[in-house]
Amino acid sequence: MFTKVLVAEDYEIANQGIIRVLQEEIGIQNIEEAKYCDEAYLKFRKALQDQTPFELLITDLSFKEDHKVQTRTSGIDLIQDIRKIQPDIKVIVYSQEDRPDKINMLFDVHTIDGYVCKGQQAIKELVDCITGVFQGDTVQPPQLADRNTNEMIHLDDLDMILLEELSKGFTKKEIRVKLQEQKIKPNSESAIDKRVSKLFDDFKAKNTTHLVAIAKDLGLL
């Protein structure tokens, strides 16, 4: 079982609840906590420098703002930055977010290892999730397991490039030129048109601004 875990959660009650589950239900004793993403990141860096790295990160997605200026303001920011310095870290998201599309994006784009939705079954699901992730499984919540996979949105590298370039204000023609210069295929006008149209359909976006807003809300940008 995991021996060193960091819990990033800004609500004290939820934080202590997770720690109690880790200690009493699973038997993990070496647990540190952080109420801010920057604080969690610094603890990861120090643990790596001390050659005593964390094995598991359990993090919420949203963190309340206060007087402190934070470089990382969300769980997604934290996951991305920690993965840059510790690529093999196991990550479980523990959040109130229950939208299947947003949860699915966390697995597809941010390659999290497990997800637990806060609720009546959260304690049991958290124990099962930690156990499964330790065994090498990717543990999805019932919100995804019970949904038809054909209904889910799956994005590849080209889709992500298109979303990023559209968010910067580039036109499809300008994006096509950039793809051709970088030798990224497919890069024909018709291929890009089809991809962008599919993104509009998948996300039910009315226009480019709406599409970018949805992508940002899902943590894709």
Side-chain angles (χ1 to χ4, degrees), residues 6-97:
L6 188 140
V7 178
E9 166 65 64
D10 56 357
Y11 284 99
E12 184 68 24
I13 294 177
N15 208 333
Q16 293 305 310
I18 297 172
I19 292 173
R20 185 172 62 253
V21 170
L22 294 175
Q23 292 176 336
E24 297 178 4
E25 302 287 337
I26 304 178
I28 301 173
Q29 299 303 320
N30 192 353
I31 307 166
E32 294 191 31
E33 58 183 295
K35 294 182 179 179
Y36 301 96
C37 294
D38 285 353
E39 179 188 3
Y41 177 75
L42 291 175
K43 287 191 174 186
F44 261 85
R45 288 196 60 175
K46 185 177 187 306
L48 279 173
Q49 292 171 354
D50 294 342
Q51 297 184 351
T52 57
F54 290 98
E55 299 169 349
L56 172 66
L57 167 67
I58 300 176
T59 182
D60 199 347
L61 290 178
S62 60
F63 290 76
K64 63 180 182 292
E65 297 180 5
D66 68 359
H67 62 283
K68 294 183 179 180
V69 178
Q70 300 291 321
T71 302
R72 302 158 192 86
T73 58
S74 72
I76 291 176
D77 293 339
L78 177 61
I79 292 168
Q80 290 176 326
D81 285 351
I82 285 180
R83 280 265 168 80
K84 291 176 184 176
I85 62 173
Q86 192 176 342
D88 62 343
I89 185 66
K90 297 294 185 180
V91 176
I92 293 175
V93 172
Y94 183 70
S95 171
Q96 290 182 332
E97 178 59 64

Side-chain angles (χ1 to χ4, degrees), residues 188-204:
S188 67
E189 185 176 350
S190 61
I192 294 175
D193 281 338
K194 289 179 181 177
R195 283 296 189 106
V196 173
S197 294
K198 187 175 186 302
L199 289 172
F200 273 79
D201 291 340
D202 286 344
F203 290 101
K204 297 178 175 57

Side-chain angles (χ1 to χ4, degrees), residues 158-159 161-163 165-166 170-180 184-200 211:
L158 180 57
D159 292 323
I161 291 173
L162 292 175
L163 284 172
E165 296 301 320
L166 288 171
F170 290 108
T171 64
K172 288 187 287 186
K173 182 178 180 180
E174 291 171 328
I175 294 173
R176 176 169 58 85
V177 172
K178 292 183 70 172
L179 293 179
Q180 290 174 342
I184 298 174
K185 295 182 179 181
N187 54 34
S188 67
E189 185 176 350
S190 61
I192 294 175
D193 281 338
K194 289 179 181 177
R195 283 296 189 106
V196 173
S197 294
K198 187 175 186 302
L199 289 172
F200 273 79
L211 174 64

Side-chain angles (χ1 to χ4, degrees), residues 129-154:
C129 186
I130 294 172
T131 302
V133 169
F134 178 74
Q135 294 173 346
D137 299 330
T138 298
V139 183
Q140 297 184 342
Q143 287 89 337
L144 292 189
D146 296 341
R147 187 172 179 180
N148 188 335
T149 56
N150 292 328
E151 299 177 3
M152 303 303 295
I153 300 173
H154 295 281

